[in-house]
């Protein structure tokens, strides 16, 4: 069984698999199932993979990265500008994007304090802070609201560090045999997923009440293929002191 992430960025990939081959969970749940032997391959956050490299091995296939505007990794605020001594609330589900935000703000020379929250929606996050880091479906929904979108975090990381932001990678338990045939099969699903982008645009434009142009940009930016730029980012983040 293969664990995909239950956010809209994975919709075309999910549609490309035959029924019954995948389950969809949060990245954190996929990690738990991988470590417990409940799934063979699972997509987990890049930071989670790195922190568990002693138990997991990287599968060089399905991943979630962006080549341009990420669209779904947003720093939002009721204010219309960035300032020093920023108080930022972030959902606890976004360790990897939080890392990219820290790297970006450090380069910009801005001081900040990031607090993790059990909430993920901007309304709850902004109750006790001027800024909120939102990801995934909550970020997509922000395009239909009246919040100020101050930063596409993935895009800023890409511009400042000349690397693709990689959010999730495929992994397996170290004692799981994942042969070349399986990797080739997964790569075939990645290629097949391109056929379902239009369906995902239609579905999620209605679901999130946003313009089709937003969803088109989203799926043009998101890529699942494992490429040299992806490996470059994995190696870069692996070299940071995350433990």
């Amino acid at each position: 069984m293969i664990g995909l992430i239950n956010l809209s960025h994975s919709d075309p990939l999910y549609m490309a698999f035959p029924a019954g081959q995948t389950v969809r969970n949060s990245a954190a749940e996929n990690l738990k199932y991988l470590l417990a032997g409940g799934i063979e391959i699972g997509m987990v956050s890049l930071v989670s993979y790195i922190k568990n490299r002693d138990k997991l091995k990287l599968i060089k296939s399905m991943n979630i990265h962006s080549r341009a505007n990420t669209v779904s990794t947003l720093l939002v605020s009721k204010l219309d500008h960035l300032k020093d001594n920023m108080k930022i609330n972030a959902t606890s589900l976004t360790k990897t994007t939080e890392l990219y935000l820290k790297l970006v703000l450090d380069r910009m020379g801005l001081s900040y304090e990031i607090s993790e929250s059990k909430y993920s929606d901007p309304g709850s996050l902004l109750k006790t802070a001027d800024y909120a880091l939102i990801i995934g479906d909550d970020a997509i929904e922000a395009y239909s609201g009246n919040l100020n979108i101050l930063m596409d975090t993935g895009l800023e990381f890409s511009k400042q560090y000349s690397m693709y932001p990689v959010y999730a990678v495929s992994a397996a338990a170290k004692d799981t045999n994942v042969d070349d045939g399986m990797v080739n099969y997964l790569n075939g699903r990645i290629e097949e997923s391109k056929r379902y982008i239009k369906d995902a645009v239609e579905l999620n434009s209605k679901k999130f009440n946003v313009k089709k142009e937003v969803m088109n940009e989203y799926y043009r930016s998101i890529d699942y293929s494992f490429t040299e730029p992806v490996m470059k980012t994995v190696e870069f983040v692996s070299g940071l002191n995350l433990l």
Side-chain angles (χ1 to χ4, degrees):
M1 188 65 72
I2 297 166
L4 303 181
I5 295 174
N6 58 356
L7 294 175
S8 59
H9 59 44
S10 299
D11 282 354
L13 188 60
Y14 172 70
M15 294 173 182
F17 279 91
Q21 287 189 358
T22 62
V23 292
R24 298 187 79 178
N25 305 297
S26 70
E29 289 172 325
N30 280 339
L31 176 62
K32 291 179 182 177
Y33 289 129
L34 274 177
L35 296 177
I39 55 177
E40 179 184 7
I41 296 170
M43 297 188 79
V44 301
S45 77
L46 176 57
V47 166
S48 291
Y49 159 69
I50 289 169
K51 288 185 174 181
N52 290 274
R53 279 178 295 181
D54 59 328
K55 306 180 190 74
L56 299 176
K57 58 184 176 184
L58 181 67
I59 306 302
K60 294 183 179 180
S61 183
M62 304 180 306
N63 66 92
I64 305 294
H65 72 272
S66 174
R67 296 166 295 185
N69 297 347
T70 298
V71 179
S72 64
T73 58
L74 303 179
L75 184 67
V76 299
S77 177
K78 295 176 183 177
L79 305 177
D80 61 1
H81 62 283
L82 300 176
K83 64 179 183 178
D84 219 11
N85 298 314
M86 299 171 66
K87 305 293 185 184
I88 306 168
N89 278 343
T91 172
S92 59
L93 301 175
T94 180
K95 286 293 188 182
T96 302
T97 306
E98 182 181 326
L99 171 65
Y100 292 144
L101 178 61
K102 289 177 179 178
L103 292 169
V104 166
L105 295 178
D106 287 343
R107 280 259 171 116
M108 294 174 71
L110 292 171
S111 59
Y112 56 87
E113 177 185 324
I114 299 179
S115 299
E116 290 188 3
S117 171
K118 64 180 180 180
Y119 300 106
S120 61
D121 64 288
S124 298
L125 294 172
L126 288 171
K127 284 182 179 179
T128 56
D130 287 332
Y131 302 90
L133 178 61
I134 56 176
I135 65 163
D137 295 355
D138 289 298
I140 296 297
E141 288 184 312
Y143 286 91
S144 65
N146 56 6
L147 290 172
N148 292 314
I149 297 174
L150 301 182
M151 183 189 298
D152 181 327
T153 304
L155 176 61
E156 287 301 316
F157 171 78
S158 180
K159 289 180 354 186
Q160 291 189 25
Y161 287 83
S162 299
M163 281 184 275
Y164 289 169
V166 178
Y167 301 103
V169 295
S170 290
K174 284 213 166 173
D175 59 355
T176 300
N177 179 35
V178 180
D179 59 21
D180 290 343
M182 174 56 78
V183 173
N184 289 336
Y185 176 72
L186 297 178
N187 290 341
R189 297 304 92 203
I190 293 171
E191 188 63 28
E192 181 74 6
S193 71
K194 297 173 185 177
R195 296 179 51 195
Y196 294 95
I197 290 176
K198 184 177 179 180
D199 293 338
V201 168
E202 292 285 343
L203 172 70
N204 289 310
S205 175
K206 294 176 183 177
K207 178 180 178 180
F208 299 121
N209 191 29
V210 297
K211 294 180 179 179
K212 289 183 182 179
E213 289 81 359
V214 171
M215 297 312 306
N216 271 315
E217 181 181 358
Y218 186 39
Y219 290 117
R220 280 199 305 267
S221 300
I222 294 295
D223 192 7
Y224 308 128
S225 303
F226 199 98
T227 60
E228 287 187 12
V230 170
M231 194 67 217
K232 178 182 177 182
T233 303
V234 172
E235 290 173 346
F236 169 75
V237 177
S238 297
L240 301 175
N241 184 21
L242 300 180
L243 302 179

